[in-house]
């Protein structure tokens, strides 16, 4: 009996300590305990489901307060963002954990990609951790519950939102079997426009056949000319009561020509796109990858994507002459990485894969480091650093 009591007390004590470690955002609880156990015992998709479960029920580290944290406040799309660090699309595909993600300290959350109808996505396994490379390959293929289910949750969040600093983006896509891509995007746009702060048109997932061709004017498989596609989307957006900011998410694998085309469309007078997200995952496989899993097909994210996506970001900043809001994504795992994206032209940044390897405490860590760096370099606000490393026509 005594032994049972002792075991019970030990289990309870450990659980309490771990629970407190989670709540308090103790780095060691994540790096020495939770992440190694999860990575040993669960494949990528199970671990992802667990992370969503924990965020949904608030079992996440709380946001820390930092001295001079207002240095991270930034106005974008005419909204105040508490900080420029966002949760990238694909993590909370079905809008189940929005509140939990804000609790961690993200300045904005992008849910989705959401498709009109629910769909299974590709066969499992479809998410792979390349631990030696601090990378992930995924070929989920827009698995998700579809517009109706997701809308219910987004609606709930939107109604209960007390602080309008909780900036919500909805990332929309098309169903695999839908031939008429435009129609799926228009449906998503109309449905979510009144219930979020911006909408992302995801035309850059490598896991839906033909989708990426919407970035390329010359692709034969296109049923619609991409320029016409953007034109019709913007026309629809301009007809809506609320002028919801429209953002296009692009791949990091575009040629210079394709980037130029997109920049041109983005800059067109009267029908301007509000922002570009640079970038989605890459289909390339850099030579330096060590993991055997690099052979898996799908989109590569995380550390090996960092330089590729930052180079694309710089190019886009130059091409759009600093006139379009850019959101920098790909391999951000430190304050330094975040600042590099910002100096390369990003007004906001997002992350996903670094959470896989470091857990949700990464958000507090990046904020702390970014504040320190900005202070050290003499900036009084993060917005002053945007594009600092890139020459463009409008550079002062
Ligand atoms: C498992 C996984 C699923 C993803 N799903 C989506 C998605 O549904 N829609 C989307 O636009 N991007 C998706 N992405 C891409 C991310 O939003 C992000 O652009 C990319 O991973 C680069 O950022 P990172 O290196 O910080 O992960 C996904 C990424 C991962 C790792």
């Amino acid at each position: 009996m005594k032994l049972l009591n002792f075991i019970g007390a030990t289990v309870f004590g450990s659980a309490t300590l771990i629970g407190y470690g989670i709540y308090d955002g103790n780095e060691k609880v994540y790096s020495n305990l939770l992440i190694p156990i999860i990575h040993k015992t669960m494949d990528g998709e199970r671990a992802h489901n667990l992370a969503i479960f924990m965020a949904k029920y608030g079992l996440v580290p709380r946001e820390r307060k930092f001295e001079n944290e207002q240095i991270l406040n930034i106005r974008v799309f005419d909204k105040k963002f508490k900080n420029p660090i966002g949760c990238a699309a694909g993590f909370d595909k079905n809008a189940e954990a929005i509140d939990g993600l804000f609790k961690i300290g993200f300045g904005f959350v992008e849910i989705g990609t959401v498709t009109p109808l629910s769909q299974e996505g590709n066969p499992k396994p479809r998410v792979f951790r390349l631990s030696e490379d601090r990378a992930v390959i995924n070929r989920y293929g827009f698995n998700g519950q579809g517009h109706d289910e997701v809308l219910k949750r987004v609606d709930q969040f939107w109604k209960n939102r007390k602080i309008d600093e909780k900036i919500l983006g909805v990332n929309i896509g098309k169903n695999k079997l839908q031939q008429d891509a435009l129609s799926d995007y228009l449906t998503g746009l109309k449905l979510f426009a009144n219930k979020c702060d911006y909408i992302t048109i995801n035309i850059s997932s490598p896991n839906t056949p033909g989708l990426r061709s919407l970035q390329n004017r010359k692709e034969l498989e296109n049923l619609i000319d991409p320029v016409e596609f953007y034109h019709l989307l913007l026309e629809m957006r301009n007809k809506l009561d609320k002028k919801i900011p429209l953002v296009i998410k692009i791949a990091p694998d575009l040629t210079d020509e394709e980037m130029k085309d997109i920049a041109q469309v983005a800059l067109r007078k009267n029908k301007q796109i509000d922002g570009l997200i640079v970038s989605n995952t890459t289909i390339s496989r850099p030579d330096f990858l060590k993991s055997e899993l690099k052979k898996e097909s799908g989109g590569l994210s995380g550390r090996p994507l960092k330089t590729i996506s930052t180079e694309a970001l710089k190019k886009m900043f130059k091409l759009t002459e600093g006139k379009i809001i850019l959101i920098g994504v790909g391999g951000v795992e430190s304050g330094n990485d975040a600042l590099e994206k910002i100096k390369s032209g990003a007004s906001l940044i997002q992350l996903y894969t670094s959470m896989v390897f470091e857990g949700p405490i990464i958000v507090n860590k990046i904020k702390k480091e970014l504040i320190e760096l900005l202070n050290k370099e003499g900036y009084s606000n993060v917005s002053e650093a945007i594009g600092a490393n890139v020459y463009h026509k409008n550079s002062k």
Side-chain angles (χ1 to χ4, degrees), residues 68-126:
N68 197 20
E69 64 183 12
Q70 67 281 4
I71 199 171
L72 297 182
N73 294 172
I74 184 164
R75 257 198 113 69
V76 178
F77 304 140
D78 223 8
K79 307 259 170 190
K80 181 182 167 192
F81 288 62
K82 249 179 13 162
N83 69 70
I85 302 150
C87 180
F91 182 75
D92 190 6
K93 285 180 186 281
N94 296 308
E96 293 169 276
I98 307 175
D99 285 311
L101 291 168
F102 280 113
K103 193 174 161 193
I104 294 168
F106 279 117
F108 65 114
V109 171
E110 185 171 315
I111 60 120
T113 296
V114 197
T115 54
L117 304 174
S118 69
Q119 61 180 25
E120 290 284 316
N122 290 320
K124 297 176 188 174
R126 51 193 179 177

Side-chain angles (χ1 to χ4, degrees), residues 38-51:
I38 290 170
H39 284 199
K40 265 222 158 67
T41 56
M42 289 180 199
D43 65 21
E45 184 157 355
R46 282 226 165 119
H48 180 195
N49 291 338
L50 175 69

Side-chain angles (χ1 to χ4, degrees), residues 77-194:
F77 304 140
D78 223 8
K79 307 259 170 190
K80 181 182 167 192
F81 288 62
K82 249 179 13 162
N83 69 70
I85 302 150
C87 180
F91 182 75
D92 190 6
K93 285 180 186 281
N94 296 308
E96 293 169 276
I98 307 175
D99 285 311
L101 291 168
F102 280 113
K103 193 174 161 193
I104 294 168
F106 279 117
F108 65 114
V109 171
E110 185 171 315
I111 60 120
T113 296
V114 197
T115 54
L117 304 174
S118 69
Q119 61 180 25
E120 290 284 316
N122 290 320
K124 297 176 188 174
R126 51 193 179 177
V127 191
F128 307 90
R129 283 188 299 262
L130 284 66
S131 300
E132 300 103 301
D133 302 298
R134 300 279 278 195
V136 164
I137 290 178
N138 93 82
R139 52 169 180 269
Y140 266 124
F142 291 170
N143 56 316
Q145 296 170 357
H147 281 173
D148 291 350
E149 281 304 302
V150 174
L151 185 69
K152 281 186 214 157
R153 295 188 197 112
V154 168
D155 198 32
Q156 193 72 19
F157 168 79
W158 201 246
K159 277 191 195 135
N160 296 339
R161 179 168 86 156
K162 290 196 186 76
I163 322 165
D164 60 7
E165 284 169 9
K166 287 187 176 176
I167 306 292
L168 182 70
V170 175
N171 177 309
I172 56 175
K174 75 160 200 84
N175 279 110
K176 184 176 176 183
L177 298 177
Q178 170 65 283
Q179 294 291 310
D180 180 2
L182 180 68
S183 134
D184 275 7
Y185 287 102
L186 290 178
T187 312
L189 176 59
K190 274 189 276 185
L191 204 61
F192 289 100
N194 284 325

Side-chain angles (χ1 to χ4, degrees), residues 48 88-91 93 110 112-113 127 136-138 140 142 171 200 202 204-205 249 277 279-281 299-303 305 329-332 350-354 356:
H48 180 195
F91 182 75
K93 285 180 186 281
E110 185 171 315
T113 296
V127 191
V136 164
I137 290 178
N138 93 82
Y140 266 124
F142 291 170
N171 177 309
T200 301
N202 181 7
S204 48
S205 166
K249 183 162 180 177
I277 302 188
S279 70
N280 214 314
T281 54
L300 175 75
S301 58
R303 199 177 279 177
L305 173 64
V329 203
V332 174
Q350 291 177 320
L351 59 88
Y352 183 157
T353 303
S354 53
V356 171

